[in-house]
Amino acid sequence: MKNIHLLDQQVSNMIAAGEVVERPAAVVKELIENAIDAKAQMISVEIKNGGKSFIRVSDNGNGIDNEDTVVAFERHATSKIKTATDLNSIFTLGFRGEALASIAAVAHVELITRTADAEEGTHVIIKAGQLISQQPAGCPKGTTIIVKNLFYNTPARMKFLKKDATEAGHIGDLVNRMVLGHPEISFRYINNGKEVTFTPGDNNLRSCIYNIYGKEYAKSMVEVKHSDGNIVIQGLAGKANIARANRNFQSFFINGRYIKSNTLTYALQQAYKNLLMVNRFPVAVLHLKINPNVIDVNVHPTKMEVKFSNEKQIFDAVYWAIKNALYSEKDIPEVTLSKQDLFNYTTSNNKQYNDINDTDVIGQQINVSRPAPINYEDITLKESVNMINNQSSDFGIDSVMEKGENTVEAINSSNELITKNQFKIIGQMFNTYIIIEKDEEMILIDQHAAHERLNYEKLMLDYKQRTLMPQTLLVPVVIQLSNIEIEIVKEHKEFFEKIGFEAEDFGNNSVVVRQTPISVGENYMKDLFLEIVNLIQKSNKEALTDMESHAFYTIACKSAIKANKGLHMAEMDKLVEDILSLRNINTCPHGRPIMISLSKYKIEKEFKRVGA
């Protein structure tokens, strides 16, 4: 008895639809990509009920010839490729010839189209893959496709759809990605009769971001321009102040195609290393132009996955494109004053102010500390003595070594060094923040974050140049460890030596530390060493260079000037000079800002010295 038989075309199309048409958003994606391939300048998307009952995508593109309108719904029918060799150089978004057939197999579909040289258009109706009618129609140049009752004949697929609002959200997100991927095209998106999105198609990516994400995001993005061999990268990358708790505002496009790639995501995250707080993710829209011969987009029917012939080259290109953009300018957040907050603060502290005269109010409110004159020659700068005058930005250990010194110099050359005569130290606030006056602004510097960054930069620079000079302790420190911890130290002895520690087995599950990578008080030595042991234990699957970098974070933090510590004027002067000499860096290694500013204009505006 014959058990194997061929499925008819309708059934095979319905099976294929499960891969291509996962949900209404997938229908919209395929239809928009067809419109883009047809060189449309305007694309309109309208949905109802989350796209379940109605989807209409219209464009003013090339249109479809009358004789091709029915063939277009056949499976594997496409105008994009002809032979197998064409798969090696795909320049269009669509090419598989599955989308229309898959959509038509699980819905009621209408096609209305006309080419520029045709006197009349064509109207085609298809239900469940079956042709119902094909007749002439009067219509403008371009193509309109209407999809009704999606999955009406596949209830198993229908039950997996979410609520209308959820499905509409997926479609809205998809339209946004298409807008960001093709700012040269005017998009209109309508949901249940309400216009949600409209873009002018002026080829301005920043205006698209303004339209989709809002003013704050548009003004907080830096331009990305980079070329590396056969890879050209353009786009916008967000500053740290607009980082988000997820990756939803990250979009990658290769040759105009919206894609998802772990390689690109990781390269982006690494480029922001030390700039963002933990569990914060950057905002970015990146366009990559790559020779189609070195990528494979024929990986999955959705065409959102790609394979690269050289992933390292792609990673490096994205990493350096973002790194160059971020370090092209120093980002100092500006303070905004709220009159209501200021009033509430003053009122709630009224008793405090009643005890002092009017001339003391401002000094009391910000607690400015002005040290008495001192003999600088008698001062020991303590923890500040190891600060460095000339710094390089942190670009990652392996990357800097591989790219060489010139890369750092080229990036750092964008700003001139700030000298002592360009700023004036006003005092210290709350024994934590240093107040300085520079040009037309007042700047607050977090002394711990600033010193932590300086320590980290010195460690990284010395490590990169192989000039790390461990500090010999006058009195060695004995540290008691657990069984697991002592084994970790023994196993990673070379690692500890590499980052500047000399630690020997002292018996009874203890080690004696004789050298450290940077000067640190004995009180912090034990905590520092144990934190690095714990880091190794938790990071046993990490790359070694990542462990080293994380170890330097910890060392830099433990050895930095602490908050709530009063500083002499000479110490503040040294710290301010060194931190301002760092070009285009304004975060500690953990991503917290080092300094914030308040402009003279805003201060005078609050005191009514200038108009609004």
Side-chain angles (χ1 to χ4, degrees):
M1 179 178 177
K2 185 177 180 181
N3 292 320
I4 300 177
H5 55 275
L6 294 173
L7 295 175
D8 63 40
Q9 185 176 2
Q10 182 179 1
V11 176
S12 62
N13 282 348
M14 291 175 68
I15 294 173
E19 293 182 306
V20 180
V21 187
E22 180 184 8
R23 64 194 327 153
V27 174
V28 174
K29 173 183 177 293
E30 297 293 342
L31 298 182
I32 290 179
E33 287 183 347
N34 282 346
I36 294 172
D37 285 341
K39 304 191 184 325
Q41 295 176 321
M42 294 185 293
I43 299 175
S44 173
V45 178
E46 183 178 359
I47 68 166
K48 295 178 182 177
N49 305 115
K52 300 173 188 176
S53 64
F54 182 87
I55 297 173
R56 175 164 55 202
V57 177
S58 304
D59 68 68
N60 65 343
N62 295 334
I64 304 174
D65 287 329
N66 175 56
E67 58 187 33
D68 290 333
T69 52
V70 176
V71 179
F73 288 93
E74 297 290 336
R75 195 171 179 208
H76 302 312
T78 179
S79 62
K80 317 296 173 59
I81 62 173
K82 292 182 179 180
T83 65
T85 57
D86 292 338
L87 291 172
N88 298 325
S89 56
I90 295 174
F91 292 93
T92 56
L93 302 182
F95 60 90
R96 295 173 64 100
E98 294 178 321
L100 288 181
S102 297
I103 295 169
V106 292
H108 299 164
V109 178
E110 293 184 48
L111 167 69
I112 305 169
T113 184
R114 181 176 74 84
T115 59
D117 55 357
E119 294 183 359
E120 60 182 6
T122 304
H123 183 196
V124 175
I125 301 176
I126 293 180
K127 292 184 179 181
Q130 300 298 315
L131 177 64
I132 304 301
S133 68
Q134 178 187 16
Q135 53 189 353
C139 60
K141 180 180 85 76
T143 300
T144 295
I145 294 183
I146 301 172
V147 179
K148 298 179 181 178
N149 304 321
L150 185 63
F151 299 134
Y152 81 100
N153 57 347
T154 52
R157 175 67 62 178
M158 174 70 79
K159 72 179 182 180
F160 284 104
L161 295 181
K162 306 298 181 183
K163 295 179 180 179
D164 290 358
T166 302
E167 296 299 339
H170 285 286
I171 293 174
D173 181 70
L174 184 278
V175 173
N176 288 345
R177 308 284 185 183
M178 293 299 182
V179 168
L180 297 175
H182 295 273
E184 76 282 3
I185 298 175
S186 174
F187 284 88
R188 185 186 300 273
Y189 170 48
I190 301 170
N191 180 15
N192 290 329
K194 181 180 179 181
E195 183 178 279
V196 178
T197 302
F198 175 75
T199 62
D202 58 0
N203 203 26
N204 187 327
L205 182 57
R206 196 178 295 272
S207 71
C208 290
I209 289 175
Y210 183 99
N211 189 292
I212 294 171
Y213 298 143
K215 178 181 179 180
E216 180 185 2
Y217 287 91
K219 73 177 184 180
S220 297
M221 305 281 280
V222 296
E223 190 172 5
V224 178
K225 281 188 177 182
H226 184 76
S227 180
D228 185 358
N230 60 351
I231 305 170
V232 177
I233 302 176
Q234 292 183 314
L236 294 169
K239 297 178 182 178
N241 64 297
I242 58 170
R244 294 173 53 82
N246 54 51
R247 294 188 173 93
N248 290 345
F249 282 18
Q250 295 178 6
S251 298
F252 302 99
F253 302 90
I254 293 183
N255 298 337
R257 181 192 309 280
Y258 172 59
I259 62 107
K260 294 182 178 180
S261 166
N262 291 334
T263 300
L264 302 187
T265 300
Y266 185 61
L268 177 65
Q269 197 68 31
Q270 287 299 101
Y272 277 85
K273 199 171 183 179
N274 306 328
L275 295 178
L276 300 181
M277 298 288 285
V278 177
N279 297 323
R280 302 295 292 178
F281 302 94
V283 176
V285 179
L286 297 183
H287 287 259
L288 285 74
K289 292 183 179 180
I290 305 175
N291 188 329
N293 292 324
V294 299
I295 60 174
D296 182 7
V297 297
N298 189 27
V299 178
H300 189 274
T302 61
K303 305 182 293 295
M304 291 182 66
E305 298 178 22
V306 296
K307 286 185 177 180
F308 305 107
S309 61
N310 188 340
E311 287 206 14
K312 187 177 186 306
Q313 184 188 18
I314 299 293
F315 177 93
D316 287 346
V318 172
Y319 178 89
W320 286 103
I322 298 297
K323 208 70 170 175
N324 278 303
L326 293 177
Y327 285 82
S328 63
E329 58 182 69
K330 180 170 284 190
D331 179 27
I332 303 178
E334 186 171 5
V335 176
T336 56
L337 295 177
S338 169
K339 293 181 181 178
Q340 187 63 41
D341 290 345
L342 186 61
F343 174 79
N344 290 339
Y345 181 85
T346 305
T347 304
S348 65
N349 290 275
N350 211 23
K351 184 179 183 300
Q352 172 188 354
Y353 295 130
N354 288 337
D355 297 333
I356 56 178
N357 60 46
D358 291 341
T359 59
D360 293 328
V361 170
I362 298 300
Q364 180 71 17
Q365 182 178 343
I366 64 174
N367 190 25
V368 173
S369 170
R370 301 177 187 272
I374 54 177
N375 186 346
Y376 290 171
E377 295 180 358
D378 294 336
I379 287 296
T380 300
L381 294 184
K382 300 178 182 178
E383 294 148 308
S384 298
V385 74
N386 290 319
M387 293 182 184
I388 51 177
N389 292 316
N390 297 300
Q391 306 288 333
S392 67
S393 300
D394 164 33
F395 290 98
I397 296 168
D398 286 345
S399 299
V400 171
M401 289 183 174
E402 184 175 325
K403 291 288 181 178
E405 298 292 335
N406 292 336
T407 305
V408 176
E409 291 173 0
I411 294 170
N412 283 349
S413 64
S414 58
N415 281 7
E416 296 180 356
L417 282 174
I418 297 173
T419 58
K420 285 187 177 181
N421 62 0
Q422 291 178 286
F423 66 86
K424 182 171 93 174
I425 295 179
I426 306 301
Q428 189 185 20
M429 183 170 71
F430 310 135
N431 283 339
T432 300
Y433 306 101
I434 299 170
I435 308 171
I436 70 169
E437 176 187 329
K438 178 182 174 294
D439 299 328
E440 295 286 300
E441 61 182 338
M442 180 186 77
I443 297 176
L444 295 180
I445 297 178
D446 183 325
Q447 63 193 39
H448 174 74
H451 198 187
E452 184 180 1
R453 168 56 78 172
L454 289 168
N455 287 344
Y456 179 75
E457 292 291 324
K458 174 173 172 51
L459 288 166
M460 292 293 289
L461 182 62
D462 288 346
Y463 183 90
K464 178 179 72 70
Q465 296 179 343
R466 294 177 172 83
T467 57
L468 191 63
M469 297 294 292
Q471 309 288 316
T472 301
L473 300 177
L474 293 176
V475 179
V477 177
V478 177
I479 303 174
Q480 195 68 33
L481 302 172
S482 68
N483 290 330
I484 295 176
E485 290 168 342
I486 194 69
E487 291 304 319
I488 290 174
V489 173
K490 291 178 181 178
E491 183 182 351
H492 295 84
K493 187 174 186 298
E494 184 179 344
F495 171 77
F496 278 99
E497 292 175 353
K498 201 172 184 180
I499 63 173
F501 281 95
E502 181 186 313
E504 298 177 358
D505 188 352
F506 201 63
N508 296 324
N509 285 353
S510 65
V511 295
V512 56
V513 179
R514 303 185 188 280
Q515 290 186 335
T516 61
I518 199 169
S519 178
V520 61
E522 182 179 348
N523 293 337
Y524 297 106
M525 173 54 65
K526 293 182 180 180
D527 289 343
L528 170 59
F529 194 85
L530 288 172
E531 281 192 32
I532 295 176
V533 172
N534 185 54
L535 169 69
I536 297 173
Q537 185 176 0
K538 292 194 301 185
S539 308
N540 55 3
K541 293 183 180 179
E542 265 190 349
L544 186 60
T545 52
D546 287 338
M547 289 168 56
E548 289 163 348
S549 184
H550 291 163
F552 287 144
Y553 298 166
T554 305
I555 297 167
C557 180
K558 291 294 183 183
S559 59
I561 296 169
K562 302 301 181 281
N564 301 312
K565 174 180 173 58
L567 300 179
H568 291 293
M569 184 63 78
E571 292 178 299
M572 287 189 279
D573 187 74
K574 175 66 172 169
L575 180 59
V576 171
E577 181 185 7
D578 286 345
I579 200 62
L580 290 181
S581 73
L582 288 183
R583 300 171 179 88
N584 311 326
I585 294 179
N586 188 37
T587 60
C588 75
H590 301 96
R592 290 194 304 108
I594 292 172
M595 61 189 88
I596 60 176
S597 75
L598 181 62
S599 68
K600 177 184 176 183
Y601 173 79
K602 285 200 171 181
I603 293 173
E604 293 191 334
K605 182 179 175 183
E606 292 297 324
F607 284 105
K608 309 299 182 184
R609 287 183 174 272
V610 297

